[in-house]
Amino acid sequence: MSRRNAFWFWVFVGPFALGLALFTYVPLLWSVALSFFDAHNTVTPTHFVGLHNYTAMLRDDAFLDSLRTFLVFTAFIVPATYVFSLSLALMVNRLRRARAFFRSVFFLPAACSYVVAALVWKMSLFNGVRFGLANTVLGWFGGDPVAWLSTTDPPWYWLVIVTVRLWLQAGFYMILFLAGLQRIDPVLYEAAAVDGARPGWTVLRHITLPQLRATSVAVVLLLVINAFQAFDEFYNLLSDARGYPPYARPPLVYLYYTALGQGQNLGLGSAGAVILALVIAVVTVGQARWLRLGRTDTDG
Amino acid sequence: MTSINRRTLLAAGVGAGLLTACGSNTGRGDGGGSGPRLSQWYHQYGETGAEQAVERYAGAYKKAHISVQWRPGNYDQQTAAALLTGSGPDVFEVNGPTLDQIQAGQVVDLTELLDGVKDDFNPAVLTPKTYDGKIWAIPQVIDTQLLYYRKSLLKDAGVEPPATLDALVDAARKLTDSKTKGLFLGNDGGAGVLGGTPLYAAGLQLVTDDGKVGFDDPAAARTLGKLHQLYADKSLLLGAPADWSDPSAFLQGLTAMQWSGLWALPQVRKELGDDFGVLPFPRDGAHGRPSVPVGAYGAAVSARGGHRQAAKEYVKWLWVERTDYQEDFALSYGFHIPARISLAKRAAKLRSGAAADAVRFTTEYGYAQPLLWTPAAQTAYQDALSRIIKSGAGPESELRAVVRKVSDELDRVKKKP
């Protein structure tokens, strides 16, 4: 790289690199350091406690519960969104008219804030009184009102959490699948038809899904990462000024209360964040290996 | 004479803009004083006029410029985070401070501000702001929670205002029909708002005066088990659009009884006239007594502020000397009991009807969350309460785990200097 090019490289990249270092890597390293200290109400600790925060966090039932909650949520929301957004994409792709209209309609919720959507779901669609939308519909069929977010047996709150996330994110993944579908060579479908493959499940299984493999890998990875980061809708659906119920509490919410809430235990919160990062790394790497990410079909 | 060209005009405009920006003060409610510039934070009160009132108080202070910030959202979390930095408030409202904040040296000792008037502050709210013999915040107003009940609905159902927890469970069941639930304790079934109230109603405490767990007793499990009975009977209103702190569910006839704050009283009285009453949380068991939780936002001074002495002087002026402002703040906008006993006694609005009952209950049965009750202890207890109420978890085993956790927390905070 010439000196002139190097100069312009740093002019354009430098500020972003500096911002990244200052606001991401330094806090990250600081947080890892804090996790080995007793850091109540301070970010400049002096009392080294070794692995105490880690052992305390791993013995904390509330944190372990939150990890289980998040695993259940991920195990459910990832396949649900995958199937739903792929179905939408297949449907929109087959349309001969108004395809752009329906593409926009299904994509629009992606532009909505998670906070706003969660509040609409909580206060209008799924409130627990008889005039909530869902309960009104139930009433038409003679059903009693259901306290959707307050009932743990059965755990109706999951229906609220999952539907709001599906509504918000399915359109975005539909666009990714649509892009993938439009890259499939029509010749493949014609050849399949000549060979006697009937349109429908057979073509989907033997032509469409294999051709969408790269898109699917990207979609699943993004979905898993997004599920790990779940916070907004959980927090806005289930918290109140007094706190948060122990069920359906994702780890980020718990760490928020531990480190940034009144607890202000930044050492313990940092240890939890490191543990969570390790869990995410293990799950992501495991999933990438399972999906054979980065391998070609000839790699064996 | 040199003509002014467009470039000169533009440069002058930009320069003037910059100078204006440097000199401007975007804070609200600036005091008219000539001293240092102090930042004062309040959490967002819902009552109309409260924000303008505190700006007016700040504007009347002449020894410093007071910039009032009215902060919506998770105020306690905001202040807790701001206290870690130098850019936080100088003076701030605090629903505490917590023991950890005091022990970490985040707030300034304000003991001297109450010299000569300490006895006039209600001990129920001053005690939790006192640690190691020093006072760490000046109580502003007393807030309390009560059981609101609709007289006509109880009369129609042949139900007396409940004086015991068993009577409350029974009344809630009888008052429940297809349109109205018997009782609203919040959308989480009461786990969040009730806190230690049922334990005090059973004659127990969260933390004893000598710093031990106050509910390691079979009576605690028995009492908390009755809260699950309310849930199991389907007597509780759940999933209301507005939560317990808002009287809407009570006013809309969604529930016959609601646990809510004293602040809701003017609105309830306006809507229902005399068709309501207030009660303490009813007693349970032979050693029980009614219980009423009280709390107080206090004015504290950040230890990281640049003008700590000026901030202390301002707090003394506003929350110790200006009793007219204190009375105005407590009773002209929302509905709170003044923290000063002398002010509470002479307040006309607190002398009759449900308001007078509320003051009496607060005086006779009020308890405040002890300073040794840490946020970690609170989370453990609240989680257990949620599992007992909603999932029917065994109160004994849940409480055993909480007792262990709270003991650990008490040991931790006692070790600190």
Side-chain angles (χ1 to χ4, degrees):
Chain A
M1 192 186 290
S2 69
R3 181 170 293 192
R4 185 182 166 81
N5 282 347
F7 172 76
W8 286 111
F9 173 82
W10 284 111
V11 165
F12 285 109
V13 174
F16 296 102
L18 188 67
L20 189 70
L22 209 59
F23 296 110
T24 301
Y25 294 122
V26 169
L28 193 75
L29 293 174
W30 196 275
S31 174
V32 173
L34 270 184
S35 70
F36 297 104
F37 286 85
D38 177 15
H40 271 90
N41 300 67
T42 178
V43 286
T44 50
T46 51
H47 183 214
F48 183 76
V49 294
L51 292 173
H52 173 78
N53 285 327
Y54 287 90
T55 53
M57 211 48 165
L58 288 170
R59 280 204 300 257
D60 185 342
D61 289 338
F63 181 64
L64 297 177
D65 270 353
S66 74
L67 284 180
R68 280 190 283 271
T69 299
F70 130 80
L71 285 172
V72 169
F73 176 66
T74 307
F76 194 85
I77 195 69
V78 172
T81 312
Y82 181 92
V83 170
F84 191 55
S85 52
L86 178 60
S87 305
L88 282 179
L90 289 168
M91 212 165 61
V92 171
N93 198 41
R94 287 173 66 91
L95 289 173
R96 298 200 179 276
R97 289 181 186 175
R99 183 190 291 183
F101 171 76
F102 282 103
R103 199 169 49 202
S104 304
V105 165
F106 291 132
F107 180 73
L108 266 181
C112 182
S113 140
Y114 270 65
V115 176
V116 171
L119 291 177
V120 170
W121 250 245
K122 176 181 184 174
M123 300 175 86
S124 178
L125 302 185
F126 287 101
N127 73 41
V129 292
R130 59 181 182 277
F131 44 75
L133 185 65
N135 280 336
T136 303
V137 174
L138 268 183
W140 292 341
F141 299 99
D144 290 328
V146 173
W148 301 98
L149 283 167
S150 307
T151 308
T152 52
D153 185 23
W156 286 117
Y157 56 88
W158 278 119
L159 179 76
V160 186
I161 290 169
V162 166
T163 51
V164 71
R165 182 162 269 245
L166 268 179
W167 183 76
L168 282 162
Q169 68 179 12
F172 173 75
Y173 293 104
M174 176 200 74
I175 295 290
L176 298 188
F177 278 125
L178 266 177
L181 286 171
Q182 285 163 13
R183 286 186 58 193
I184 301 175
D185 193 340
V187 170
L188 288 171
Y189 291 109
E190 288 163 13
V194 169
D195 287 347
R198 282 175 300 170
W201 173 245
T202 311
V203 169
L204 178 72
R205 187 181 163 201
H206 294 289
I207 305 288
T208 309
L209 287 179
Q211 289 295 313
L212 281 178
R213 191 175 156 272
T215 310
S216 297
V217 168
V219 164
V220 171
L221 268 180
L222 287 173
L223 279 173
V224 170
I225 290 166
N226 275 347
F228 281 135
Q229 293 173 337
F231 180 89
D232 294 13
E233 75 270 44
F234 280 83
Y235 187 77
N236 287 288
L237 284 169
L238 291 160
S239 76
D240 69 10
R242 298 274 164 166
Y244 196 97
Y247 58 87
R249 175 162 51 199
L252 279 186
V253 171
Y254 186 65
L255 295 180
Y256 167 73
Y257 278 112
T258 303
L260 300 175
Q262 284 237 309
Q264 286 284 303
N265 192 342
L266 291 135
L268 191 63
S270 296
V274 171
I275 293 168
L276 183 60
L278 288 175
V279 170
I280 291 172
V282 167
V283 171
T284 310
V285 168
Q287 175 202 281
R289 289 180 72 89
W290 181 57
L291 291 170
R292 295 156 44 100
L293 185 65
R295 293 186 192 178
T296 63
D297 288 339
T298 54
D299 283 349
Chain B
M1 187 176 162
T2 311
S3 63
I4 301 174
N5 60 26
R6 279 181 300 173
R7 187 170 294 176
T8 312
L9 191 64
L10 184 66
V14 169
L18 284 173
L19 283 173
T20 311
C22 291
S24 71
N25 182 356
T26 53
R28 292 171 293 172
D30 286 1
S34 55
R37 188 172 293 279
L38 300 178
S39 164
Q40 184 183 20
W41 286 13
Y42 287 89
H43 85 283
Q44 185 184 31
Y45 285 79
E47 298 96 352
T48 309
E51 184 180 7
Q52 289 72 27
V54 297
E55 286 175 356
R56 195 175 69 248
Y57 310 153
Y61 190 62
K62 300 301 175 197
K63 291 185 182 171
H65 291 280
I66 311 296
S67 173
V68 171
Q69 287 194 30
W70 195 251
R71 300 183 75 91
N74 285 350
Y75 179 81
D76 293 340
Q77 278 84 356
Q78 289 176 34
T79 49
L83 292 179
L84 298 172
T85 74
S87 60
D90 295 290
V91 179
F92 62 105
E93 272 193 334
V94 63
N95 190 12
T98 66
L99 187 52
D100 284 318
Q101 285 171 337
I102 295 168
Q103 289 180 329
Q106 292 184 321
V107 287
V108 171
D109 173 12
L110 302 180
T111 313
E112 64 189 85
L113 305 192
L114 292 194
D115 284 348
V117 292
K118 188 179 162 192
D119 292 344
D120 193 33
F121 279 81
N122 191 314
V125 288
L126 189 58
T127 305
K129 304 201 182 303
T130 307
Y131 176 66
D132 212 12
K134 295 172 184 166
I135 296 162
W136 301 91
I138 309 299
Q140 297 176 178
V141 287
I142 299 175
D143 271 320
T144 185
Q145 293 159 25
L146 298 151
L147 184 67
Y148 288 78
Y149 66 95
R150 188 86 173 260
K151 287 179 181 173
S152 56
L153 292 178
L154 266 67
K155 192 178 172 192
D156 291 348
V159 171
E160 288 294 314
T164 65
L165 185 53
D166 290 322
L168 179 70
V169 173
D170 198 38
R173 191 188 308 119
K174 286 180 181 165
L175 289 163
T176 298
D177 60 29
S178 61
K179 289 192 173 175
T180 304
K181 289 287 188 179
L183 178 61
F184 184 38
L185 296 174
N187 284 327
D188 61 356
V193 65
L194 288 183
T197 303
L199 298 178
Y200 283 84
L204 306 168
Q205 291 172 283
L206 289 171
V207 180
T208 60
D209 295 339
D210 57 347
K212 295 193 170 65
V213 180
F215 51 93
D216 191 5
D217 189 299
R222 181 202 64 215
T223 299
L224 299 188
K226 291 177 185 174
L227 298 179
H228 172 66
Q229 191 59 47
L230 284 163
Y231 183 83
D233 287 348
K234 299 189 189 299
S235 306
L236 293 180
L237 174 65
L238 298 166
D243 215 339
W244 65 273
S245 59
D246 188 312
S248 299
F250 185 61
L251 298 175
Q252 290 165 1
L254 297 173
T255 179
M257 299 184 285
Q258 176 174 338
W259 187 256
S260 191
L262 180 67
W263 53 86
L265 200 142
Q267 194 184 347
V268 174
R269 189 163 50 203
K270 187 178 165 194
E271 301 273 339
L272 301 181
D274 291 332
D275 187 20
F276 82 99
V278 293
L279 290 170
F281 192 88
R283 66 187 156 78
D284 187 50
H287 304 289
R289 62 194 297 267
S291 75
V292 173
V294 298
Y297 266 100
V301 172
S302 167
R304 282 188 176 247
H307 305 284
R308 276 180 284 179
Q309 191 53 36
K312 283 172 71 172
E313 286 172 16
Y314 173 62
V315 168
K316 184 172 185 183
W317 174 83
L318 181 57
W319 295 114
V320 179
E321 293 170 358
R322 291 303 301 255
T323 51
D324 52 341
Y325 286 163
Q326 292 156 36
E327 189 173 354
D328 179 65
F329 183 71
L331 290 161
S332 297
Y333 314 99
F335 201 75
H336 316 273
I337 301 172
R340 304 283 289 267
I341 295 166
S342 57
L343 293 179
K345 276 183 182 168
R346 76 172 190 228
K349 289 183 179 175
L350 299 174
R351 283 196 203 139
S352 62
D357 289 342
V359 173
R360 182 165 53 85
F361 296 146
T362 305
T363 310
E364 290 177 13
Y365 308 125
Y367 84 91
Q369 204 159 279
L371 194 56
L372 290 172
W373 187 247
T374 64
Q378 169 78 4
T379 301
Y381 174 73
Q382 204 163 297
D383 283 2
L385 195 52
S386 178
R387 286 189 287 266
I388 292 168
I389 292 174
K390 286 191 175 178
S391 309
E396 293 86 359
S397 58
E398 288 289 337
L399 281 173
R400 265 199 302 277
V402 179
V403 166
R404 277 199 300 274
K405 176 74 180 177
V406 176
S407 296
D408 290 347
E409 276 293 287
L410 290 171
D411 290 343
R412 176 181 71 80
V413 294
K414 282 185 213 161
K415 273 184 205 161
K416 289 202 171 180

